[in-house]
Amino acid sequence: MIVLLGPPGSGKGTQGEKLGQEFGFVRLSTGDMLREAARNGTPLGLKAKEYMDKGALVPNDLIINLMKEKIASLGKGTGVIFDGYPRTVEQADALGEIVNVDLALNLDVKDSELVVRLTKRRSCPKCNAVYHLEYNPPAKPGKCGKCGSDLYQRDDDKEETVLNRLKVYRDNTMPLIDYYEKKGKLLTVEGVGSIDEIFEQVKKAVL
Ligand code: AP5
């Protein structure tokens, strides 16, 4: 069981997807789950969207219950990459009660780079693939290279919201770096460089 830590835009989704493909892990992204629920107009999705659009965290009880159900639905022995969960100490305690976290992999990237990455990100609403207009552009402009859907800009990728997400990260999620370090589970990888270069470091950390 691997927890991906790191600020918004540090590459958790990008590296998590590659890890899933390479090692056959299931990637559970709370952000992707919540956006899908919002698109489907479920009560949870609509509630979550109020928080997400402001760059705030969705309340712990909603997320913890969602993840408990999701984890319970997986077969025994399934290897999981948690992307975007836990994001608070309360969530980390709740996760620790139901699974044994083997590794917390922290992607370290400075704020100025994060803002550029997020404001120029484009996402696929269908398969959740992510692109960047400069660093990782789709082969056909505006179209997902994996499933052909039209790409879109996430509502929370506007600069003002990005800045709030970075603050929320520092206040609520950064303490998890210490949390997992004290448990001897933390490994930090420099998240700057090409996607493939970083993946080489990520693979070394996992093996
Ligand atoms: P979520 O969807 O989890 O967003 P996030 O954590 O802010 O992370 P991102 O998806 O923005 O970034 P990432 O690290 O995955 O980077 P990516 O690989 O896409 O959460 C969204 C919201 O949902 C939260 O704000 C909150 O409201 C709610 N939520 C979710 N989980 C919650 C929880 N547990 N509790 C409470 N609320 C929760 O890369 C970013 C960009 O950079 C892309 O364009 C990519 O192509 C590019 N890129 C990636 N790597 C590189 C590289 N090496 N060089 C150059 N560009 C790169």
Side-chain angles (χ1 to χ4, degrees):
M1 298 288 177
I2 300 172
V3 164
L4 288 180
L5 289 177
S10 56
K12 301 182 295 298
T14 302
Q15 298 297 331
E17 194 190 333
K18 287 173 85 67
L19 268 180
Q21 280 166 4
E22 178 93 9
F23 296 107
F25 298 130
V26 171
R27 180 172 74 96
L28 293 184
S29 157
T30 39
D32 288 347
M33 284 180 214
L34 295 171
R35 278 184 291 278
E36 192 185 341
R39 274 195 294 274
N40 292 335
T42 67
L44 168 70
L46 295 177
K47 184 94 206 134
K49 193 167 174 359
E50 290 172 24
Y51 295 91
M52 293 168 83
D53 284 353
K54 287 184 271 190
L57 291 183
V58 173
N60 278 327
D61 55 339
L62 293 182
I63 290 286
I64 289 171
N65 287 334
L66 172 74
M67 288 305 275
K68 272 189 183 157
E69 282 172 23
K70 196 77 199 176
I71 293 165
S73 73
L74 297 173
K76 261 205 163 150
T78 307
V80 180
I81 300 167
F82 294 96
D83 170 358
Y85 184 83
R87 256 180 156 97
T88 63
V89 169
E90 198 177 334
Q91 291 179 18
D93 285 342
L95 181 64
E97 281 168 19
I98 50 176
V99 304
N100 181 32
V101 172
D102 301 295
L103 171 69
L105 191 61
N106 177 38
L107 293 170
D108 189 25
V109 182
K110 65 177 188 307
D111 281 12
S112 54
E113 168 76 7
L114 297 170
V115 175
V116 176
R117 285 190 187 181
L118 290 175
T119 51
K120 292 195 175 172
R121 171 167 60 184
R122 295 295 179 268
S123 307
C124 176
K126 196 164 173 212
C127 72
N128 298 313
V130 289
Y131 300 87
H132 189 277
L133 294 179
E134 286 168 27
Y135 304 147
N136 181 26
K140 206 170 160 198
K143 295 279 178 198
C144 177
K146 292 191 180 129
C147 73
S149 299
D150 288 337
L151 300 176
Y152 80 114
Q153 181 174 28
R154 273 170 46 176
D155 288 338
D156 61 351
D157 277 350
K158 298 184 178 101
E159 185 160 353
E160 192 186 300
T161 318
V162 165
L163 295 175
N164 192 40
R165 285 164 62 200
L166 292 175
K167 181 180 182 311
V168 168
Y169 166 78
R170 276 192 292 274
D171 293 347
N172 298 277
T173 310
M174 248 181 123
L176 294 182
I177 295 177
D178 264 4
Y179 179 99
Y180 283 113
E181 184 154 43
K182 284 192 183 122
K183 290 183 187 295
K185 308 278 186 190
L186 185 82
L187 229 151
T188 293
V189 165
E190 180 77 30
V192 182
S194 77
I195 291 171
D196 287 339
E197 280 163 7
I198 296 165
F199 188 54
E200 287 307 309
Q201 301 302 313
V202 165
K203 271 197 295 189
K204 276 188 202 148
V206 167
L207 289 171

PDB file of all heavy atoms in Angstrom, residues 86-118:
ATOM      1  N   PRO A  86      -4.343   9.997   2.417  1.00  0.00           N
ATOM      2  CA  PRO A  86      -4.988  10.971   3.285  1.00  0.00           C
ATOM      3  C   PRO A  86      -4.450  12.391   3.032  1.00  0.00           C
ATOM      4  O   PRO A  86      -3.367  12.575   2.501  1.00  0.00           O
ATOM      5  CB  PRO A  86      -4.577  10.496   4.677  1.00  0.00           C
ATOM      6  CG  PRO A  86      -3.254   9.844   4.469  1.00  0.00           C
ATOM      7  CD  PRO A  86      -3.292   9.241   3.116  1.00  0.00           C
ATOM      8  N   ARG A  87      -5.238  13.363   3.504  1.00  0.00           N
ATOM      9  CA  ARG A  87      -4.844  14.771   3.370  1.00  0.00           C
ATOM     10  C   ARG A  87      -4.877  15.495   4.707  1.00  0.00           C
ATOM     11  O   ARG A  87      -4.577  16.689   4.768  1.00  0.00           O
ATOM     12  CB  ARG A  87      -5.835  15.456   2.444  1.00  0.00           C
ATOM     13  CG  ARG A  87      -5.324  15.716   1.068  1.00  0.00           C
ATOM     14  CD  ARG A  87      -6.443  16.387   0.334  1.00  0.00           C
ATOM     15  NE  ARG A  87      -5.992  17.170  -0.740  1.00  0.00           N
ATOM     16  CZ  ARG A  87      -5.951  16.757  -2.007  1.00  0.00           C
ATOM     17  NH1 ARG A  87      -6.300  15.534  -2.320  1.00  0.00           N
ATOM     18  NH2 ARG A  87      -5.563  17.569  -2.941  1.00  0.00           N
ATOM     19  N   THR A  88      -5.260  14.813   5.744  1.00  0.00           N
ATOM     20  CA  THR A  88      -5.240  15.366   7.109  1.00  0.00           C
ATOM     21  C   THR A  88      -4.785  14.246   8.045  1.00  0.00           C
ATOM     22  O   THR A  88      -4.859  13.057   7.675  1.00  0.00           O
ATOM     23  CB  THR A  88      -6.650  15.818   7.568  1.00  0.00           C
ATOM     24  OG1 THR A  88      -7.500  14.651   7.599  1.00  0.00           O
ATOM     25  CG2 THR A  88      -7.263  16.863   6.656  1.00  0.00           C
ATOM     26  N   VAL A  89      -4.365  14.641   9.245  1.00  0.00           N
ATOM     27  CA  VAL A  89      -3.944  13.618  10.212  1.00  0.00           C
ATOM     28  C   VAL A  89      -5.121  12.695  10.556  1.00  0.00           C
ATOM     29  O   VAL A  89      -4.954  11.482  10.688  1.00  0.00           O
ATOM     30  CB  VAL A  89      -3.349  14.306  11.471  1.00  0.00           C
ATOM     31  CG1 VAL A  89      -3.160  13.312  12.598  1.00  0.00           C
ATOM     32  CG2 VAL A  89      -2.034  14.981  11.118  1.00  0.00           C
ATOM     33  N   GLU A  90      -6.318  13.277  10.660  1.00  0.00           N
ATOM     34  CA  GLU A  90      -7.495  12.444  10.965  1.00  0.00           C
ATOM     35  C   GLU A  90      -7.708  11.376   9.880  1.00  0.00           C
ATOM     36  O   GLU A  90      -8.006  10.218  10.168  1.00  0.00           O
ATOM     37  CB  GLU A  90      -8.721  13.356  11.078  1.00  0.00           C
ATOM     38  CG  GLU A  90      -9.876  12.702  11.792  1.00  0.00           C
ATOM     39  CD  GLU A  90     -11.056  13.672  11.944  1.00  0.00           C
ATOM     40  OE1 GLU A  90     -10.861  14.896  11.963  1.00  0.00           O
ATOM     41  OE2 GLU A  90     -12.190  13.163  12.028  1.00  0.00           O
ATOM     42  N   GLN A  91      -7.539  11.776   8.620  1.00  0.00           N
ATOM     43  CA  GLN A  91      -7.692  10.804   7.523  1.00  0.00           C
ATOM     44  C   GLN A  91      -6.582   9.747   7.586  1.00  0.00           C
ATOM     45  O   GLN A  91      -6.824   8.564   7.325  1.00  0.00           O
ATOM     46  CB  GLN A  91      -7.647  11.515   6.170  1.00  0.00           C
ATOM     47  CG  GLN A  91      -8.853  12.403   5.884  1.00  0.00           C
ATOM     48  CD  GLN A  91      -8.752  13.116   4.537  1.00  0.00           C
ATOM     49  OE1 GLN A  91      -7.986  12.749   3.659  1.00  0.00           O
ATOM     50  NE2 GLN A  91      -9.563  14.158   4.373  1.00  0.00           N
ATOM     51  N   ALA A  92      -5.366  10.182   7.924  1.00  0.00           N
ATOM     52  CA  ALA A  92      -4.251   9.227   7.994  1.00  0.00           C
ATOM     53  C   ALA A  92      -4.488   8.207   9.109  1.00  0.00           C
ATOM     54  O   ALA A  92      -4.234   7.007   8.948  1.00  0.00           O
ATOM     55  CB  ALA A  92      -2.936   9.972   8.221  1.00  0.00           C
ATOM     56  N   ASP A  93      -5.000   8.669  10.255  1.00  0.00           N
ATOM     57  CA  ASP A  93      -5.318   7.735  11.347  1.00  0.00           C
ATOM     58  C   ASP A  93      -6.389   6.740  10.901  1.00  0.00           C
ATOM     59  O   ASP A  93      -6.295   5.544  11.172  1.00  0.00           O
ATOM     60  CB  ASP A  93      -5.829   8.512  12.578  1.00  0.00           C
ATOM     61  CG  ASP A  93      -4.699   9.226  13.321  1.00  0.00           C
ATOM     62  OD1 ASP A  93      -3.527   8.859  13.116  1.00  0.00           O
ATOM     63  OD2 ASP A  93      -4.994  10.164  14.096  1.00  0.00           O
ATOM     64  N   ALA A  94      -7.403   7.252  10.198  1.00  0.00           N
ATOM     65  CA  ALA A  94      -8.499   6.373   9.748  1.00  0.00           C
ATOM     66  C   ALA A  94      -7.975   5.340   8.751  1.00  0.00           C
ATOM     67  O   ALA A  94      -8.361   4.160   8.800  1.00  0.00           O
ATOM     68  CB  ALA A  94      -9.618   7.210   9.108  1.00  0.00           C
ATOM     69  N   LEU A  95      -7.079   5.750   7.865  1.00  0.00           N
ATOM     70  CA  LEU A  95      -6.521   4.809   6.887  1.00  0.00           C
ATOM     71  C   LEU A  95      -5.685   3.744   7.597  1.00  0.00           C
ATOM     72  O   LEU A  95      -5.783   2.555   7.290  1.00  0.00           O
ATOM     73  CB  LEU A  95      -5.662   5.556   5.859  1.00  0.00           C
ATOM     74  CG  LEU A  95      -5.036   4.682   4.768  1.00  0.00           C
ATOM     75  CD1 LEU A  95      -6.114   4.043   3.884  1.00  0.00           C
ATOM     76  CD2 LEU A  95      -4.067   5.481   3.897  1.00  0.00           C
ATOM     77  N   GLY A  96      -4.878   4.205   8.571  1.00  0.00           N
ATOM     78  CA  GLY A  96      -4.007   3.290   9.310  1.00  0.00           C
ATOM     79  C   GLY A  96      -4.783   2.228  10.089  1.00  0.00           C
ATOM     80  O   GLY A  96      -4.259   1.165  10.404  1.00  0.00           O
ATOM     81  N   GLU A  97      -6.046   2.506  10.382  1.00  0.00           N
ATOM     82  CA  GLU A  97      -6.867   1.513  11.098  1.00  0.00           C
ATOM     83  C   GLU A  97      -7.312   0.380  10.181  1.00  0.00           C
ATOM     84  O   GLU A  97      -7.654  -0.697  10.639  1.00  0.00           O
ATOM     85  CB  GLU A  97      -8.120   2.187  11.685  1.00  0.00           C
ATOM     86  CG  GLU A  97      -7.821   2.946  12.964  1.00  0.00           C
ATOM     87  CD  GLU A  97      -8.980   3.836  13.381  1.00  0.00           C
ATOM     88  OE1 GLU A  97     -10.116   3.605  12.921  1.00  0.00           O
ATOM     89  OE2 GLU A  97      -8.722   4.777  14.161  1.00  0.00           O
ATOM     90  N   ILE A  98      -7.342   0.626   8.871  1.00  0.00           N
ATOM     91  CA  ILE A  98      -7.841  -0.442   7.985  1.00  0.00           C
ATOM     92  C   ILE A  98      -6.806  -1.039   7.031  1.00  0.00           C
ATOM     93  O   ILE A  98      -6.997  -2.139   6.535  1.00  0.00           O
ATOM     94  CB  ILE A  98      -9.113  -0.001   7.189  1.00  0.00           C
ATOM     95  CG1 ILE A  98      -8.912   1.346   6.513  1.00  0.00           C
ATOM     96  CG2 ILE A  98     -10.345   0.016   8.065  1.00  0.00           C
ATOM     97  CD1 ILE A  98     -10.103   1.762   5.642  1.00  0.00           C
ATOM     98  N   VAL A  99      -5.713  -0.328   6.778  1.00  0.00           N
ATOM     99  CA  VAL A  99      -4.670  -0.928   5.930  1.00  0.00           C
ATOM    100  C   VAL A  99      -3.292  -0.646   6.523  1.00  0.00           C
ATOM    101  O   VAL A  99      -3.124   0.247   7.353  1.00  0.00           O
ATOM    102  CB  VAL A  99      -4.692  -0.386   4.464  1.00  0.00           C
ATOM    103  CG1 VAL A  99      -6.033  -0.556   3.801  1.00  0.00           C
ATOM    104  CG2 VAL A  99      -4.244   1.076   4.394  1.00  0.00           C
ATOM    105  N   ASN A 100      -2.325  -1.439   6.064  1.00  0.00           N
ATOM    106  CA  ASN A 100      -0.947  -1.210   6.487  1.00  0.00           C
ATOM    107  C   ASN A 100      -0.233  -0.436   5.380  1.00  0.00           C
ATOM    108  O   ASN A 100      -0.019  -0.963   4.287  1.00  0.00           O
ATOM    109  CB  ASN A 100      -0.281  -2.571   6.721  1.00  0.00           C
ATOM    110  CG  ASN A 100       1.139  -2.410   7.197  1.00  0.00           C
ATOM    111  OD1 ASN A 100       1.459  -1.428   7.889  1.00  0.00           O
ATOM    112  ND2 ASN A 100       2.002  -3.313   6.794  1.00  0.00           N
ATOM    113  N   VAL A 101       0.092   0.805   5.651  1.00  0.00           N
ATOM    114  CA  VAL A 101       0.785   1.631   4.657  1.00  0.00           C
ATOM    115  C   VAL A 101       2.260   1.230   4.650  1.00  0.00           C
ATOM    116  O   VAL A 101       2.938   1.276   5.664  1.00  0.00           O
ATOM    117  CB  VAL A 101       0.631   3.134   4.997  1.00  0.00           C
ATOM    118  CG1 VAL A 101       1.504   3.999   4.094  1.00  0.00           C
ATOM    119  CG2 VAL A 101      -0.830   3.551   4.887  1.00  0.00           C
ATOM    120  N   ASP A 102       2.756   0.775   3.478  1.00  0.00           N
ATOM    121  CA  ASP A 102       4.155   0.354   3.382  1.00  0.00           C
ATOM    122  C   ASP A 102       5.074   1.530   3.114  1.00  0.00           C
ATOM    123  O   ASP A 102       6.217   1.554   3.564  1.00  0.00           O
ATOM    124  CB  ASP A 102       4.321  -0.658   2.235  1.00  0.00           C
ATOM    125  CG  ASP A 102       3.449  -1.876   2.436  1.00  0.00           C
ATOM    126  OD1 ASP A 102       3.703  -2.603   3.404  1.00  0.00           O
ATOM    127  OD2 ASP A 102       2.482  -2.071   1.666  1.00  0.00           O
ATOM    128  N   LEU A 103       4.568   2.494   2.305  1.00  0.00           N
ATOM    129  CA  LEU A 103       5.429   3.595   1.872  1.00  0.00           C
ATOM    130  C   LEU A 103       4.604   4.858   1.674  1.00  0.00           C
ATOM    131  O   LEU A 103       3.526   4.802   1.066  1.00  0.00           O
ATOM    132  CB  LEU A 103       6.089   3.201   0.532  1.00  0.00           C
ATOM    133  CG  LEU A 103       6.877   4.273  -0.216  1.00  0.00           C
ATOM    134  CD1 LEU A 103       8.157   4.619   0.540  1.00  0.00           C
ATOM    135  CD2 LEU A 103       7.242   3.782  -1.626  1.00  0.00           C
ATOM    136  N   ALA A 104       5.127   5.977   2.170  1.00  0.00           N
ATOM    137  CA  ALA A 104       4.539   7.284   1.849  1.00  0.00           C
ATOM    138  C   ALA A 104       5.567   8.005   0.983  1.00  0.00           C
ATOM    139  O   ALA A 104       6.660   8.342   1.455  1.00  0.00           O
ATOM    140  CB  ALA A 104       4.245   8.076   3.114  1.00  0.00           C
ATOM    141  N   LEU A 105       5.223   8.168  -0.275  1.00  0.00           N
ATOM    142  CA  LEU A 105       6.148   8.750  -1.243  1.00  0.00           C
ATOM    143  C   LEU A 105       5.805  10.209  -1.454  1.00  0.00           C
ATOM    144  O   LEU A 105       4.722  10.547  -1.913  1.00  0.00           O
ATOM    145  CB  LEU A 105       6.000   7.978  -2.553  1.00  0.00           C
ATOM    146  CG  LEU A 105       7.017   8.227  -3.634  1.00  0.00           C
ATOM    147  CD1 LEU A 105       8.417   7.858  -3.158  1.00  0.00           C
ATOM    148  CD2 LEU A 105       6.655   7.402  -4.852  1.00  0.00           C
ATOM    149  N   ASN A 106       6.745  11.067  -1.064  1.00  0.00           N
ATOM    150  CA  ASN A 106       6.480  12.505  -1.074  1.00  0.00           C
ATOM    151  C   ASN A 106       7.167  13.159  -2.273  1.00  0.00           C
ATOM    152  O   ASN A 106       8.382  13.074  -2.421  1.00  0.00           O
ATOM    153  CB  ASN A 106       7.040  13.079   0.242  1.00  0.00           C
ATOM    154  CG  ASN A 106       6.902  14.564   0.322  1.00  0.00           C
ATOM    155  OD1 ASN A 106       5.906  15.137  -0.122  1.00  0.00           O
ATOM    156  ND2 ASN A 106       7.905  15.207   0.896  1.00  0.00           N
ATOM    157  N   LEU A 107       6.379  13.793  -3.136  1.00  0.00           N
ATOM    158  CA  LEU A 107       6.947  14.479  -4.305  1.00  0.00           C
ATOM    159  C   LEU A 107       7.164  15.945  -3.945  1.00  0.00           C
ATOM    160  O   LEU A 107       6.211  16.652  -3.610  1.00  0.00           O
ATOM    161  CB  LEU A 107       5.987  14.367  -5.495  1.00  0.00           C
ATOM    162  CG  LEU A 107       5.808  12.954  -6.056  1.00  0.00           C
ATOM    163  CD1 LEU A 107       4.657  12.916  -7.055  1.00  0.00           C
ATOM    164  CD2 LEU A 107       7.087  12.467  -6.722  1.00  0.00           C
ATOM    165  N   ASP A 108       8.413  16.379  -4.010  1.00  0.00           N
ATOM    166  CA  ASP A 108       8.775  17.722  -3.544  1.00  0.00           C
ATOM    167  C   ASP A 108       8.963  18.668  -4.735  1.00  0.00           C
ATOM    168  O   ASP A 108       9.839  18.435  -5.576  1.00  0.00           O
ATOM    169  CB  ASP A 108      10.086  17.602  -2.749  1.00  0.00           C
ATOM    170  CG  ASP A 108      10.427  18.882  -2.032  1.00  0.00           C
ATOM    171  OD1 ASP A 108       9.505  19.657  -1.740  1.00  0.00           O
ATOM    172  OD2 ASP A 108      11.622  19.107  -1.782  1.00  0.00           O
ATOM    173  N   VAL A 109       8.113  19.691  -4.827  1.00  0.00           N
ATOM    174  CA  VAL A 109       8.200  20.668  -5.927  1.00  0.00           C
ATOM    175  C   VAL A 109       7.911  22.061  -5.360  1.00  0.00           C
ATOM    176  O   VAL A 109       7.008  22.217  -4.533  1.00  0.00           O
ATOM    177  CB  VAL A 109       7.153  20.360  -7.037  1.00  0.00           C
ATOM    178  CG1 VAL A 109       7.269  21.348  -8.192  1.00  0.00           C
ATOM    179  CG2 VAL A 109       7.298  18.938  -7.563  1.00  0.00           C
ATOM    180  N   LYS A 110       8.663  23.071  -5.832  1.00  0.00           N
ATOM    181  CA  LYS A 110       8.449  24.414  -5.256  1.00  0.00           C
ATOM    182  C   LYS A 110       7.191  25.086  -5.837  1.00  0.00           C
ATOM    183  O   LYS A 110       6.763  24.791  -6.953  1.00  0.00           O
ATOM    184  CB  LYS A 110       9.693  25.280  -5.401  1.00  0.00           C
ATOM    185  CG  LYS A 110      10.106  25.637  -6.800  1.00  0.00           C
ATOM    186  CD  LYS A 110      11.322  26.564  -6.692  1.00  0.00           C
ATOM    187  CE  LYS A 110      11.765  27.174  -7.987  1.00  0.00           C
ATOM    188  NZ  LYS A 110      12.034  26.375  -9.126  1.00  0.00           N
ATOM    189  N   ASP A 111       6.655  26.047  -5.046  1.00  0.00           N
ATOM    190  CA  ASP A 111       5.352  26.650  -5.372  1.00  0.00           C
ATOM    191  C   ASP A 111       5.286  27.284  -6.760  1.00  0.00           C
ATOM    192  O   ASP A 111       4.299  27.122  -7.471  1.00  0.00           O
ATOM    193  CB  ASP A 111       4.987  27.727  -4.335  1.00  0.00           C
ATOM    194  CG  ASP A 111       4.446  27.116  -3.059  1.00  0.00           C
ATOM    195  OD1 ASP A 111       4.570  25.885  -2.897  1.00  0.00           O
ATOM    196  OD2 ASP A 111       3.902  27.869  -2.221  1.00  0.00           O
ATOM    197  N   SER A 112       6.355  28.026  -7.152  1.00  0.00           N
ATOM    198  CA  SER A 112       6.276  28.753  -8.432  1.00  0.00           C
ATOM    199  C   SER A 112       6.080  27.775  -9.582  1.00  0.00           C
ATOM    200  O   SER A 112       5.325  28.033 -10.531  1.00  0.00           O
ATOM    201  CB  SER A 112       7.524  29.600  -8.640  1.00  0.00           C
ATOM    202  OG  SER A 112       8.667  28.792  -8.522  1.00  0.00           O
ATOM    203  N   GLU A 113       6.715  26.624  -9.509  1.00  0.00           N
ATOM    204  CA  GLU A 113       6.568  25.599 -10.556  1.00  0.00           C
ATOM    205  C   GLU A 113       5.152  25.001 -10.513  1.00  0.00           C
ATOM    206  O   GLU A 113       4.547  24.734 -11.554  1.00  0.00           O
ATOM    207  CB  GLU A 113       7.636  24.507 -10.328  1.00  0.00           C
ATOM    208  CG  GLU A 113       7.453  23.240 -11.137  1.00  0.00           C
ATOM    209  CD  GLU A 113       7.853  23.354 -12.608  1.00  0.00           C
ATOM    210  OE1 GLU A 113       8.403  24.405 -12.994  1.00  0.00           O
ATOM    211  OE2 GLU A 113       7.568  22.402 -13.361  1.00  0.00           O
ATOM    212  N   LEU A 114       4.607  24.851  -9.306  1.00  0.00           N
ATOM    213  CA  LEU A 114       3.268  24.251  -9.173  1.00  0.00           C
ATOM    214  C   LEU A 114       2.210  25.122  -9.852  1.00  0.00           C
ATOM    215  O   LEU A 114       1.302  24.610 -10.510  1.00  0.00           O
ATOM    216  CB  LEU A 114       2.909  24.073  -7.692  1.00  0.00           C
ATOM    217  CG  LEU A 114       3.826  23.120  -6.918  1.00  0.00           C
ATOM    218  CD1 LEU A 114       3.539  23.206  -5.431  1.00  0.00           C
ATOM    219  CD2 LEU A 114       3.661  21.695  -7.414  1.00  0.00           C
ATOM    220  N   VAL A 115       2.347  26.433  -9.689  1.00  0.00           N
ATOM    221  CA  VAL A 115       1.348  27.339 -10.281  1.00  0.00           C
ATOM    222  C   VAL A 115       1.373  27.219 -11.808  1.00  0.00           C
ATOM    223  O   VAL A 115       0.333  27.103 -12.450  1.00  0.00           O
ATOM    224  CB  VAL A 115       1.599  28.799  -9.828  1.00  0.00           C
ATOM    225  CG1 VAL A 115       0.644  29.751 -10.532  1.00  0.00           C
ATOM    226  CG2 VAL A 115       1.435  28.927  -8.316  1.00  0.00           C
ATOM    227  N   VAL A 116       2.572  27.160 -12.395  1.00  0.00           N
ATOM    228  CA  VAL A 116       2.676  27.017 -13.860  1.00  0.00           C
ATOM    229  C   VAL A 116       2.078  25.685 -14.300  1.00  0.00           C
ATOM    230  O   VAL A 116       1.341  25.599 -15.285  1.00  0.00           O
ATOM    231  CB  VAL A 116       4.160  27.113 -14.316  1.00  0.00           C
ATOM    232  CG1 VAL A 116       4.279  26.876 -15.811  1.00  0.00           C
ATOM    233  CG2 VAL A 116       4.740  28.456 -13.953  1.00  0.00           C
ATOM    234  N   ARG A 117       2.383  24.643 -13.556  1.00  0.00           N
ATOM    235  CA  ARG A 117       1.869  23.322 -13.939  1.00  0.00           C
ATOM    236  C   ARG A 117       0.345  23.285 -13.908  1.00  0.00           C
ATOM    237  O   ARG A 117      -0.296  22.755 -14.811  1.00  0.00           O
ATOM    238  CB  ARG A 117       2.397  22.252 -12.976  1.00  0.00           C
ATOM    239  CG  ARG A 117       3.839  21.909 -13.199  1.00  0.00           C
ATOM    240  CD  ARG A 117       4.169  20.688 -12.382  1.00  0.00           C
ATOM    241  NE  ARG A 117       5.587  20.384 -12.417  1.00  0.00           N
ATOM    242  CZ  ARG A 117       6.117  19.350 -11.806  1.00  0.00           C
ATOM    243  NH1 ARG A 117       5.340  18.531 -11.106  1.00  0.00           N
ATOM    244  NH2 ARG A 117       7.404  19.112 -11.876  1.00  0.00           N
ATOM    245  N   LEU A 118      -0.234  23.856 -12.851  1.00  0.00           N
ATOM    246  CA  LEU A 118      -1.685  23.694 -12.680  1.00  0.00           C
ATOM    247  C   LEU A 118      -2.488  24.605 -13.596  1.00  0.00           C
ATOM    248  O   LEU A 118      -3.520  24.194 -14.120  1.00  0.00           O
ATOM    249  CB  LEU A 118      -2.067  23.935 -11.217  1.00  0.00           C
ATOM    250  CG  LEU A 118      -1.585  22.832 -10.274  1.00  0.00           C
ATOM    251  CD1 LEU A 118      -1.879  23.192  -8.835  1.00  0.00           C
ATOM    252  CD2 LEU A 118      -2.209  21.492 -10.607  1.00  0.00           C
TER     253      LEU A 118
END
